[in-house]
């Protein structure tokens, strides 16, 4: 999920969902969770709204986990599939790519350990 808006009630998250994408208030998430600030501070609300419009209706992709496994086992021979379905990590990877700060190569499938590893590398941690 990624933060895409702020209202008087707090931050709004965007996520892939079974019926399509949706926005939910950060305060409605069950604790504990980790917030990772991957993007620089210059991402604007207008850019977030443009992302939402372009990726509107992308449904949750339960089969993407199979592609992640194939991609990892094949050492990135199987590319990411560009379609209108997303698993949660893939939607976040597309969001970061859309904002000009990709977290994975086009031939890598986004998955949580990769994202944490790349974030740690970017922050100077081994």
């Amino acid at each position: 999920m990624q933060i895409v808006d702020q209202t008087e009630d707090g931050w709004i998250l965007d996520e892939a969902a079974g019926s399509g994408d949706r926005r939910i208030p950060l305060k409605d998430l069950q604790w504990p969770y980790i917030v990772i600030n991957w993007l620089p501070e210059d991402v604007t609300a207008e850019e977030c709204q443009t992302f939402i419009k372009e990726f509107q209706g992308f449904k949750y992709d339960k089969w993407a986990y199979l592609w992640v496994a194939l991609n990892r086992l094949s050492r990135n021979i199987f590319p990411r599939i560009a379609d209108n379905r997303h698993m949660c990590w893939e939607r976040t990877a597309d969001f970061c790519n859309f904002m000009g700060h990709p977290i994975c190569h086009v031939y890598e499938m986004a998955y949580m350990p990769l994202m944490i590893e790349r974030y740690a590398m970017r922050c100077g941690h081994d």
Side-chain angles (χ1 to χ4, degrees):
M1 290 184 269
Q2 42 282 331
I3 294 173
V4 293
D5 201 1
Q6 183 179 18
T7 67
E8 59 277 351
D9 292 332
W11 296 105
I12 304 298
L13 299 168
D14 167 76
E15 73 169 350
S19 59
D21 59 311
R22 66 180 175 179
R23 257 64 59 215
I24 58 172
L26 177 63
K27 65 181 178 132
D28 289 352
L29 289 184
Q30 298 294 319
W31 289 86
Y33 56 86
I34 298 171
V35 176
I36 296 176
N37 182 13
W38 181 268
L39 297 172
E41 299 293 325
D42 62 353
V43 173
T44 66
E46 292 79 22
E47 290 172 316
C48 289
Q49 292 305 311
T50 301
F51 172 82
I52 288 171
K53 286 178 187 170
E54 185 165 326
F55 287 81
Q56 187 77 36
F58 279 32
K59 295 183 177 179
Y60 186 80
D61 187 5
K62 62 182 182 253
W63 296 108
Y65 296 98
L66 174 63
W67 284 108
V68 169
L70 287 173
N71 181 261
R72 299 310 300 159
L73 291 171
S74 71
R75 300 183 186 259
N76 303 328
I77 292 172
F78 290 99
R80 293 178 64 202
I81 296 175
D83 62 9
N84 64 349
R85 292 189 162 288
H86 279 150
M87 63 175 178
C88 52
W89 305 327
E90 191 177 10
R91 189 166 178 93
T92 298
D94 285 340
F95 179 79
C96 292
N97 190 45
F98 187 86
M99 296 301 168
H101 299 276
I103 57 175
C104 60
H105 187 274
V106 69
Y107 283 102
E108 287 179 307
M109 286 296 294
Y111 70 113
M112 188 56 68
L114 174 73
M115 294 166 72
I116 291 171
E117 175 187 298
R118 297 289 162 80
Y119 177 74
M121 288 170 44
R122 187 170 275 192
C123 294
H125 302 290
D126 291 332

